[in-house]
Structures are given as C-alpha cells and as structure tokens.
Amino acid sequence: MSVLASIDLQTLGDAFGLGAIYALMAVGIGLVFGVLRLVNFAYGQLIMAGAYTLAYTSGWPVAASIVSCFAVVVALSLAMDRVVFRPLRSSSPAVMLVTTFAIAFLLQAVALIIDLRDGQLGEVASSIAPLNQAVSVGGVDVRKVTFVAVGVALGALIALALVLTRTTIGLHTRAAASDFRTARLLGVRANRVIAFAVVVSGLLAGAVAVLLTVQNPFVQPDFALEDTIIVLVGVVVGGIDRLWTATLGGFAIGFVSVLVNAALPTDQTVFLPSVVYALVIVVLLLRPAGLFAWGRRAAMERV
Amino acid sequence: MPEAAALELDGVEVRYGSVSAVRDLTLRVGKGEIVGLIGPNGAGKSTTLNAIMGLQPAHRGEIKLNGQALRRRSVESIARAGIALVPEGRRIFGDFTVEENLRLGLAARRRTYIGDPFGPAFELFPILSEFRGRQAGALSGGQQQQLAIGRALVSRPDLLLLDEPSLGLAPLAVDGIFKAFTEIREVGTTILLVEQRAQRTVALANRTHVLVGGELRMTLGPADADDTEKIIAAYLAS
Ligand SMILES: Nc1ncnc2c1ncn2[C@@H]1O[C@H](COP(=O)(O)OP(=O)(O)O)[C@@H](O)[C@H]1O
Ligand SMILES: [Mg+2]
C-alpha cells in the first residue's frame, strides 16, 4: 500500500487542524521563551487546567464555560510568573527548566486530587462536544472543529503579528526578546513585557484547551502532556530563538504526526513517537540551529 | 559651587564578585557640562557608567541625579529618571528599522512634547530621518553610532552617558560625533563622556578625569589638551 494513497481529505483536514493547534502552543511557549529565556515545560498543565475548567462548568452556557476556561488559564499563567518565574529570573536556564518540570508535576498532582473527589478518574466536558460533529465537504466528512481550529489559529496568529509589529507593547516585547539588557536600558519595563508575554501565552493556552477538549472531551490529569512534549520538540526543531520559526516547527510536527499516523498500518501506530523522534534527530543533526533558521547563526551565539 | 550638580558620585565602589573594579570614586558633573573620563583598557570606565545606570549596582557609596539618590533603583527606572546611556558597542537593534530603534528610545520619555518626537535625533543627524524606514543593521558604523546617540536623545534625558562612542569609526565620522557633542551641550544636556581619544576629549570637556586601575589619578582641563606628555604621564601613573 502506498503512503500517499492512505492520505485522504479527512486526514489532510486533521493534519491541518492538529498543526494549527500545535502552532498556537508553539507561539505560547515561544513568546515566554523570548522574554524569559525559559522553556516552560508546565505549559501543558495550563491547558489541562483549562480543560478541567470546561469539564466542571459543563452545565453552564457554552460561552460562560469558555470564558471561565480562559480566565482560569490566564490567572494560573500570571500566578506561575509571579510566584515562580519572577524570583528565578536571574537563575541559570537549567534551574528554570527543572523548576518548570516540578511545577508541571505539582499541577498534575493537584488536578488528580481535585479529580478524585468524586471517586472516579477523569471528567467529561460535554457542553462543547457538538463542535466535534462532522460536516460534509464535497462528499467527504470533515469535523467542524478542524475548521474552527484552523480559523482560530490563523486569526490569533494574525492578531498577534499585528500587535507585535504595530503597537508599543509589541515593539517593547520584540526588543526584550532580542536584547533584554539594552531594552531595559532604554526604559522598557521588564515586568510589563513579561506580563504581556505571559498573558498572551495564557490566552493561547486557553484557546488550545477549548480546541483539544472538543476533540477529546474526556479530561484527565495528563491531558495535553504528550501534545506539549511533541510541540516542544517541534519548537526546538523549528528554532525556538525566533517566534515564527518556532510556530512553523509546531505546525509542522502536528501536521506530520497526523500523516505518519495515517500512513502507518493501524497495528503499528505505537511506533508513531519513534518515527517522529527519528525525524527530529535527523533534522537536528543536519540543522542544529533549527529547521527554519535560514541564514542565521546558531541560537547559542547570541546569549 | 558654580553650578548645580546633575550627577554626583561619592565614594563609589563597584565589584564583580570579590574583585573591585572601581574604588572610592568621587566625581561631579555640573548641569550643562561635558565631563570626560579617560583611561586605559580595563580601567573601570564602562563599569562606572554601568553603575550609574544601575546595570552593575554600586557596592558602596552614593550616586545622585539632580540631588536624588539612585540607590537600589532598577535600570529602567533610572532611564525614566532622565539618564540615557549610549552603551559600548552601540547595541542597535539590527533587525529593526531605524524608526523602530528611535521609538524604543521614547520608552524612557518622562512626558510628551509638542512636535516630532524624533526631533532631537533628526535635527542633529538628518541622515536618520532620510533612512528612517531602513533596517538599522544595514547602516554604516558611523550611522549606527548616530542612531545610538539619537535613540538616547529622543527620551530627552538630563544626563547623557557615552561609552567610547568613537570606537571603530572612520576619522570623518569621529569628527561628526565630536561636533554633535558640542551641539548636544548647547541645548542644555549634560554629558559624561568615556573615551579613548584622550586629546580630543580633554580639548572638548570642561574637565577630564583620568581613571587608572579603578581609581581617579588626575584631572585635566582644556588647557592641557596640547600637553601630550602630561596626558601620557597620567595614563602611566600606576
Ligand atoms: N562582567 C564582568 N565580570 C567580571 N569582571 C569584569 C566584568 N566587566 C568588567 N570586568 C573587569 O572590571 C575591570 C574594569 O572593566 P571595564 O569597566 O570594562 O574597563 P574599561 O571600560 O575602562 O575598559 C576590568 O578588569 C575587567 O576585566
Ligand atoms: Mg569600556
């Protein structure tokens, strides 16, 4: 069986959908990395918290449920910055990375405790599940959420690009990401740009929480954990040093993993991570600065 | 005292770990003056400017702007208090346009002014106005230095700190920026100028201090500019 033959329109739609969601996650991770030089491993737990919020507010009107999801995720994102990142700002990258691991496990443990109060693992976010229904496009069924995911991702990325290039806070954030010391020297307020990046990153995590919960309404403490690991790989492969290369990396790894998944015979999908990681290793060997980092020196040289 | 002091350093010591790079430094820059700070490589000139700016906080001593102590304030709040530093190596945002670099300079502005916000930069360096849409990284070294100075001036600082602004520039460009310093003083901005071009600095500044091994060794006046032997002796006085 040829690989191409197995890729139908449904699969292609899924690939764009997951690529779009992963691109949003990549931007959320890349923005915070830009200003804090911190890879936030706990990004997935922000999404998980949003998913639980959707589950626990299933009885509410959908709009209220989604708004509370965003509110919880942004608040948690800001709290993480205030309580953990800010005191550690001058620590080494290794210390910060290990700390975000610790936060990730802490948040998972907290989620487990809350979840198990009803004696059962997992909660169902039922109210937004209808978005997962299929619509017919030229005789092929594509799930509604695919369009929503691609639309939301495009809208969010365009809006963010406009804010970053057209507004003062955007200019200050880009400057801080490129040379924080000089930006502060010019009067750019460190706490402000960091808060901006953290809030936007939280908004993106909220959007991802909604999109992922539509596809998988069964929420558990490890919700979005695997996705986050895959996105982190994509971001590093794309080039974390630049927002747009990180975004492309996130999109590409989401897109490719759906296609690889479809191409592998069903009984062999367990090999998916191996295939993806093998591709990653090859890319990092050939392009250590990132797949999309054309004409740029390696990320390390700037630090 | 003839003039009110814009900047006062009193017994300042700056350390990197346990090593002190500047010791017991006391100096004063009057409003509207240009004060020079010269000395060999590693003398502690950049360290002094960084301490004033809050980038490398002083371990001991007092630093005052217009009589107000700057102790324990953040870098950005010192910038917003009216001190602008043109750092060693210019630190232009090469990927940004000239105009974006200048817009960054506005971050430290204390209030809005009537007219073109980039006026202070464009009046001094018209080329920046012409090239405002270009990538800053594509400018020549001299133009980048003009941009770095212009970026510092659009915040309308009371005190301008310059760290070896002529380093690596062609002779003509050096003439250009030294002429600019005189013009900057004329509009009332106070300048503390760190330089390696000793003779030109001594000739331009109201006073020039010689820093050697982290300590002030000598103070020269404009009359000493042609006394090459005295300047050389000051450098060697270690
Ligand atoms: N970041 C730093 N860490 C440790 N030592 C430093 C650092 N920066 C400068 N120094 C040391 O402090 C001394 C003064 O340096 P600096 O202020 O850069 O001198 P100058 O600007 O006069 O050439 C030198 O001995 C230098 O090695
Ligand atoms: Mg120096």
Side-chain angles (χ1 to χ4, degrees):
Chain A
M1 186 186 73
S2 123
V3 170
L4 279 177
S6 64
I7 298 172
D8 53 28
L9 198 57
Q10 168 77 67
T11 308
L12 214 55
D14 286 348
F16 273 107
L18 196 66
I21 292 172
Y22 283 6
L24 290 178
M25 292 173 69
V27 176
I29 291 167
L31 254 185
V32 167
F33 178 83
V35 293
L36 286 174
R37 287 292 178 270
L38 162 96
V39 178
N40 186 8
F41 188 80
Y43 197 67
Q45 281 65 41
L46 292 176
I47 297 168
M48 177 269 288
Y52 268 108
T53 307
L54 289 170
Y56 282 121
T57 58
S58 277
W60 300 12
V62 176
S65 181
I66 290 177
V67 167
S68 52
C69 163
F70 276 96
V72 165
V73 175
V74 170
L76 190 58
S77 184
L78 277 172
M80 225 186 251
D81 175 50
R82 255 336 239 281
V83 178
V84 188
F85 298 162
R86 193 172 290 190
L88 287 179
R89 223 175 264 175
S90 49
S91 311
S92 73
V95 169
M96 299 223 274
L97 182 67
V98 171
T99 307
T100 70
F101 272 107
I103 301 169
F105 291 120
L106 177 75
L107 290 176
Q108 272 197 40
V110 170
L112 188 64
I113 291 167
I114 295 173
D115 184 325
L116 283 179
R117 282 178 316 168
D118 61 3
Q120 275 189 330
L121 185 64
E123 305 289 334
V124 179
S126 48
S127 61
I128 58 172
L131 267 176
N132 209 22
Q133 286 163 358
V135 287
S136 188
V137 180
V140 185
D141 283 350
V142 179
R143 290 176 303 155
K144 261 190 212 166
V145 69
T146 303
F147 296 108
V148 176
V150 173
V152 166
L154 275 180
L157 294 181
I158 290 168
L160 182 62
L162 287 176
V163 168
L164 285 176
T165 53
R166 301 285 164 85
T167 69
T168 299
I169 184 71
L171 176 70
H172 288 184
T173 305
R174 283 189 293 135
S178 147
D179 181 350
F180 212 128
R181 182 182 150 106
T182 303
R184 293 184 67 195
L185 199 65
L186 297 173
V188 169
R189 290 194 175 110
N191 288 339
R192 254 216 197 154
V193 292
I194 290 170
F196 170 77
V198 165
V199 166
V200 172
S201 160
L203 288 171
L204 292 165
V208 171
V210 173
L211 295 171
L212 283 180
T213 311
V214 170
Q215 305 186 4
N216 172 21
F218 190 63
V219 183
Q220 288 189 313
D222 66 353
F223 190 88
L225 179 65
E226 200 183 314
D227 299 291
T228 307
I229 295 170
I230 295 173
V231 170
L232 281 172
V233 170
V235 160
V236 170
V237 169
I240 192 165
D241 206 24
R242 287 265 155 127
L243 204 49
W244 69 273
T245 57
T247 311
L248 269 181
F251 177 83
I253 205 155
F255 194 86
V256 167
S257 51
V258 171
L259 294 191
V260 172
N261 199 9
L264 287 175
T266 321
D267 59 337
Q268 286 175 26
T269 50
V270 289
F271 296 122
L272 174 63
S274 323
V275 175
V276 171
Y277 289 129
L279 286 174
V280 164
I281 289 168
V282 170
V283 166
L284 285 182
L285 284 177
L286 295 179
R287 298 191 67 90
L291 189 59
F292 305 111
W294 289 291
R296 266 181 64 78
R297 287 166 289 130
M300 289 307 293
E301 284 178 40
R302 202 180 64 190
V303 181
Chain B
M1 296 242 161
E3 284 263 8
L7 176 74
E8 289 164 284
L9 271 65
D10 188 13
V12 168
E13 178 180 355
V14 191
R15 291 186 174 181
Y16 294 106
S18 61
V19 183
S20 69
V22 170
R23 270 176 309 277
D24 196 26
L25 179 62
T26 298
L27 64 82
R28 182 178 168 283
V29 185
K31 286 208 170 89
E33 286 185 326
I34 297 183
V35 169
L37 190 60
I38 59 175
N41 268 332
K45 305 183 297 295
S46 297
T47 302
T48 302
L49 296 187
N50 290 346
I52 296 168
M53 205 65 218
L55 286 164
Q56 184 66 39
H59 179 74
R60 202 193 303 269
E62 195 77 80
I63 300 175
K64 285 183 185 166
L65 173 72
N66 299 325
Q68 296 251 307
L70 297 176
R71 183 164 277 278
R72 273 192 283 276
R73 291 179 66 169
S74 69
V75 179
E76 55 262 50
S77 86
I78 290 175
R80 285 160 182 268
I83 305 184
L85 168 65
V86 177
E88 203 166 11
R90 309 191 260 274
R91 295 271 162 192
I92 285 300
F93 290 87
D95 293 343
F96 293 16
T97 63
V98 167
E99 182 168 340
E100 284 176 324
N101 272 278
L102 292 173
R103 269 173 63 205
L104 281 169
L106 298 178
R109 231 171 21 159
R110 284 161 288 176
R111 57 188 186 87
T112 48
Y113 296 81
I114 301 158
D116 185 351
F118 305 139
F122 291 164
E123 279 155 29
L124 207 54
F125 307 118
I127 193 86
L128 296 178
S129 172
E130 192 181 320
F131 289 173
R132 66 194 291 169
R134 290 204 191 174
Q135 279 233 317
L139 301 184
S140 74
Q143 291 162 350
Q144 288 192 15
Q145 190 58 270
Q146 294 183 345
L147 176 56
I149 296 169
R151 184 178 67 178
L153 289 176
V154 296
S155 69
R156 312 219 182 201
D158 292 335
L159 174 67
L160 181 64
L161 310 174
L162 295 143
D163 197 347
E164 301 204 27
S166 76
L167 190 69
L169 297 191
L172 219 57
V174 175
D175 291 346
I177 62 161
F178 268 85
K179 190 167 140 273
F181 300 152
T182 314
E183 290 172 31
I184 294 167
R185 171 168 57 183
E186 272 163 19
V187 299
T189 307
T190 308
I191 296 178
L192 178 57
L193 171 63
V194 162
E195 259 300 337
Q196 289 278 12
R197 288 173 206 268
Q199 198 175 7
R200 295 194 77 144
T201 305
V202 172
L204 171 78
N206 297 73
R207 286 182 305 289
T208 299
H209 301 292
V210 184
L211 196 64
V212 179
E215 291 176 16
L216 273 196
R217 282 301 152 91
M218 190 177 286
T219 302
L220 303 166
D224 300 317
D226 298 322
D227 193 343
T228 318
E229 276 175 29
K230 188 169 182 182
I231 294 175
I232 291 172
Y235 264 71
L236 296 178
S238 44

